[in-house]
Amino acid sequence: MAMPGDQTFVSGNAFWGANLTVAVLNGTVPVWRLDDMATRIMASFYKVGLDKDRVDVNFDSWTTDVYGFEHWFAREDYRIVNGNVDVRGTHAALIREIAAKGTVVLKNNGSLPLGRPRQIAVFGSDATDNPKGPNGCPDRGCSDGTPEGTVAMGWGSGTANFPYLISPLNALQNKAIADGSVIQWVVDDYATTQMNSTARQADTCLVFVKSLSGEGYISVDGNQGDRKNLTLWRNGEEVIKTVAGNCNNTIVTVHAPGPVTMEEWIDHPNVTAVLFAGLPGQESGNSIVDVLYGLVEPGRLPFTIAKNESDYGVSLMYEPDNTYAPQQNFTDALYIDYRYFDKHNITPRFPFGHGLSYTSWKYNELKVRKINAGPYYPINARTPAAQNTNVTETPSSLLFPSDFHQVDFYVYPWLNNTHQSGLDGNGTKGPSGAYDPTGAPIRPAGGAPGGHPGLYDILYEVNVTVSNVGKRNGEEVVQLYISQGESDDPVRVLRGFQRISVDAGGSTNVIFTILRRDISRWDVTTQNWVISQAPKTVYVGRSSRDLPLSSKLE
């Protein structure tokens, strides 16, 4: 198994394969390091039980045809390559729940949740189906222009084909029919005349706007992978302002991979609610209906939405700054997203962790209990000695077997001949310690997967009472932040969150644990984690900027 495979796409030139074989033979790579590589691969093989239960490969990433070449680029072994095995199970219900609970209500002037509106009007191409179909753009990237339908997935090699895609308009039509509501729509993003007329008739106007991004090998309307700006696509700002100018109950839903600028329209008096729905997947329409009608409590923002692009403190790179790939030097250390805004005292439009609920909440009775976890000692040990230190193979014993058929573009470990480059003489050596078969010192902060086991000791228990003081049953996302106290530390960092369900009028206790790692800093001198003497404070609340309760950590 070689990752990456070829050095350039479909070249057949491998970084590893026979090059690794040569490196072991000439001493560049110790044989026991090769054993370690193989052990890590085979451990996963046994972990998932492939030694006991295996099925033939029945899926091809290069074609959707039932019949095709098993070896796609070599054009060999024509057979059934896609068995179309249905492995979805209950995925539809799960993705619908995830998409709904991941939707964030950013603004709500009381228009949500919806009841049974007399007449609904839906606007924007993001509300409807792509006329090319849900999978009509290769790898979901419409390189001939921006997506014409609703966006529910980014583009690139990590995508999958939609088994179906429920658009917001389809789901809203079904809901309107069930409720006896009238529903109209204008999904041409530039048909402002029709928008004006339709919006004036409705008592609830639902606007769907979008932007998208993906992997850089596909360019969509000049967006090569990442977005080239933070504005809405396909006339989104004008759609919102046109509808809001004619409808005093305009509700905006944004489908996007990340923040978008909202200042042109967010404070419009007729924009009564705004939702950020991300990229929700195949159940997009059903999930947004669940939130709009209050069937599911919405979630919280995993990033900050700024008032201005410049507030983020970074500039966009439009062209690579070197020959091969763009290079960005991150000089802000720990000050990323909300930590940057806190450090520079910048007021965001919507802070990290923000999200409105359909009920009201009260936080009280914050209690902190110190746990005696014992001392933290640096690890003082060595890795086990290598069991195999001798290379017994020779170049002639590692030639391709005489009866072996090589498939073009595959990466093989065998040698083509005994005169391959690098076989004669010694290979290029690495650091001397990399060749010590007696083992190596374990780093002071190491000792186990995830680092020193002592980092996971519980040092404090935090207990907070959260009450639902509204008239609806609801769910709240309780967030815990910690201030480390040093001058070069972020003002606060998120160290825990829990989503809880509380009936109207009820209360519950939420318990967090603070681990040693949660209040530790990296010390470059000792190469270990340390807890500084600076005073530390724990905060609990609803977002990074809404933290009503705090307590010192002794």
Side-chain angles (χ1 to χ4, degrees):
M1 185 172 72
M3 297 191 299
D6 37 16
Q7 297 176 24
T8 57
F9 200 53
V10 200
S11 70
N13 281 331
F15 286 103
W16 308 113
N19 288 329
L20 180 58
T21 302
V22 170
V24 175
L25 290 173
N26 67 24
T28 300
V29 175
V31 68
W32 47 264
R33 178 67 187 97
L34 180 67
D35 292 343
D36 183 61
M37 296 178 189
T39 299
R40 293 170 188 272
I41 295 171
M42 294 309 298
S44 300
F45 176 89
Y46 288 112
K47 175 68 175 178
V48 299
L50 288 180
D51 59 318
K52 299 181 177 67
D53 184 16
R54 298 179 69 182
V55 296
D56 289 338
V57 175
N58 53 57
F59 172 79
D60 193 298
S61 62
W62 299 107
T63 179
T64 56
D65 294 343
V66 174
Y67 288 88
F69 292 106
E70 179 181 5
H71 309 299
W72 181 257
F73 288 101
R75 317 303 284 177
E76 287 189 17
D77 295 345
Y78 191 83
R79 65 176 185 85
I80 293 178
V81 292
N82 283 306
N84 293 315
V85 178
D86 189 348
V87 297
R88 292 175 295 172
T90 60
H91 174 72
L94 176 62
I95 193 63
R96 179 171 178 169
E97 178 187 6
I98 291 172
K101 290 185 175 181
T103 297
V104 184
V105 176
L106 301 175
K107 175 183 177 180
N108 185 13
N109 292 347
S111 59
L112 294 178
L114 297 176
R116 292 190 174 185
R118 175 186 58 83
Q119 184 168 160
I120 301 168
V122 181
F123 302 91
S125 65
D126 184 59
T128 191
D129 297 314
N130 188 333
K132 299 175 183 176
N135 304 310
C137 301
D139 293 346
R140 308 300 77 78
C142 297
S143 57
D144 57 346
T146 56
E148 297 180 25
T150 191
V151 297
M153 182 191 302
W155 72 73
S157 57
T159 58
N161 281 357
F162 288 110
Y164 59 81
L165 175 55
I166 305 296
S167 70
L169 180 56
N170 284 339
L172 285 164
Q173 284 179 290
N174 292 335
K175 179 62 175 171
I177 292 170
D179 289 349
S181 301
V182 174
I183 183 168
Q184 299 188 73
W185 57 87
V186 180
V187 294
D188 183 333
D189 295 309
Y190 302 92
T192 53
T193 300
Q194 290 79 6
M195 291 180 192
N196 289 332
S197 173
T198 304
R200 284 195 293 267
Q201 301 174 47
D203 52 9
T204 299
C205 295
L206 303 174
V207 180
F208 289 85
V209 291
K210 63 192 170 187
S211 71
L212 197 56
S213 66
E215 191 177 353
Y217 72 91
I218 297 175
S219 182
V220 176
D221 193 29
N223 299 271
Q224 187 175 355
D226 282 346
R227 294 175 288 165
K228 60 185 178 182
N229 51 52
L230 297 181
T231 57
L232 296 170
W233 290 14
R234 292 190 65 89
N235 206 35
E237 286 84 3
E238 290 305 314
V239 174
I240 295 171
K241 290 187 287 186
T242 298
V243 174
N246 293 276
C247 179
N248 63 6
N249 185 25
T250 298
I251 299 168
V252 178
T253 297
V254 179
H255 285 125
V260 297
T261 51
M262 301 180 172
E263 296 310 298
E264 281 190 49
W265 48 268
I266 189 67
D267 288 327
H268 194 294
N270 288 345
V271 175
T272 58
V274 178
L275 299 88
F276 185 90
L279 302 176
Q282 68 189 46
E283 289 284 328
S284 175
N286 289 332
S287 65
I288 198 64
V289 166
D290 288 344
V291 176
L292 288 171
Y293 284 85
L295 304 176
V296 173
E297 275 278 319
R300 302 294 181 267
L301 269 183
F303 46 73
T304 300
I305 296 180
K307 292 184 176 181
N308 307 293
E309 277 193 16
S310 58
D311 290 346
Y312 290 106
V314 295
S315 58
L316 297 177
M317 178 183 289
Y318 295 98
E319 298 290 340
D321 56 355
N322 60 39
T323 304
Y324 301 105
Q327 174 70 33
Q328 285 277 18
N329 296 318
F330 292 96
T331 58
D332 285 323
L334 300 177
Y335 302 107
I336 298 172
D337 196 76
Y338 69 96
R339 304 177 188 185
Y340 179 88
F341 283 75
D342 290 346
K343 177 185 179 182
H344 296 283
N345 198 28
I346 301 171
T347 301
R349 169 52 66 177
F350 296 110
F352 174 90
H354 170 75
L356 301 179
S357 172
Y358 288 151
T359 186
S360 300
W361 301 91
K362 183 178 180 181
Y363 287 62
N364 49 51
E365 297 184 41
L366 177 65
K367 299 177 182 178
V368 178
R369 182 168 69 94
K370 187 174 182 179
I371 309 293
N372 184 14
Y376 174 88
Y377 294 112
I379 294 294
N380 183 16
R382 295 179 65 87
T383 60
Q387 297 182 12
N388 179 22
T389 59
N390 297 317
V391 178
T392 58
E393 293 84 356
T394 63
S396 59
S397 70
L398 294 173
L399 295 173
F400 272 92
S402 58
D403 59 348
F404 185 84
H405 172 64
Q406 298 184 44
V407 179
D408 285 347
F409 303 109
Y410 270 51
V411 178
Y412 295 107
W414 289 292
L415 305 177
N416 288 315
N417 55 69
T418 57
H419 304 290
Q420 282 191 219
S421 175
L423 283 173
D424 52 340
N426 295 323
T428 303
K429 296 290 185 178
S432 58
Y435 296 89
D436 185 355
T438 64
I442 298 176
R443 300 302 180 188
H452 196 302
L455 293 172
Y456 298 90
D457 289 340
I458 298 174
L459 301 188
Y460 301 91
E461 184 180 272
V462 178
N463 191 317
V464 61
T465 302
V466 180
S467 303
N468 182 346
V469 296
K471 298 180 180 180
R472 289 173 52 100
N473 299 342
E475 294 184 352
E476 174 71 325
V477 180
V478 186
Q479 302 168 43
L480 178 142
Y481 294 77
I482 291 177
S483 170
Q484 293 271 34
E486 296 286 354
S487 60
D488 59 343
D489 276 319
V491 176
R492 281 175 293 272
V493 292
L494 179 70
R495 283 291 182 257
F497 62 92
Q498 294 185 38
R499 184 168 182 138
I500 60 170
S501 179
V502 184
D503 290 344
S507 298
T508 189
N509 286 337
V510 180
I511 298 176
F512 293 95
T513 56
I514 298 177
L515 309 181
R516 191 187 307 274
R517 68 191 294 271
D518 293 331
I519 57 173
S520 295
R521 289 164 49 98
W522 182 254
D523 181 72
V524 295
T525 302
T526 62
Q527 291 292 289
N528 207 343
W529 296 99
V530 299
I531 299 177
S532 74
Q533 295 300 311
K536 292 163 179 48
T537 307
V538 59
Y539 300 85
V540 177
R542 305 195 71 247
S543 79
S544 61
R545 292 287 179 101
D546 183 6
L547 299 166
L549 302 180
S550 64
S551 177
K552 298 292 184 183
L553 296 179
E554 295 182 4

